[in-house]
Amino acid sequence: MKPSSPSCWLWTRRIGWMLLIWTASIVTLAIAALSVRLLMNLAGLAP
């Protein structure tokens, strides 16, 4: 497979999208977890 072939470019593009979606999901989970932690702190339930 040559580096500039269309199938290589398509594969690289798919991996890029997968990494982007994975990163976005991790960031979203972190924001949700921090929000829950903040609410627990406000309620006095966190140590």
Side-chain angles (χ1 to χ4, degrees), residues 29-47:
L29 278 174
I31 290 170
L34 289 174
S35 298
V36 170
R37 177 80 178 189
L38 178 66
L39 289 174
M40 288 180 68
N41 279 338
L42 290 175
L45 298 174

Side-chain angles (χ1 to χ4, degrees), residues 12-46:
T12 304
R13 188 174 165 187
R14 286 180 179 170
I15 293 297
W17 273 108
M18 186 181 76
L19 287 175
L20 180 68
I21 291 169
W22 178 77
T23 303
S25 66
I26 295 298
V27 169
T28 303
L29 278 174
I31 290 170
L34 289 174
S35 298
V36 170
R37 177 80 178 189
L38 178 66
L39 289 174
M40 288 180 68
N41 279 338
L42 290 175
L45 298 174

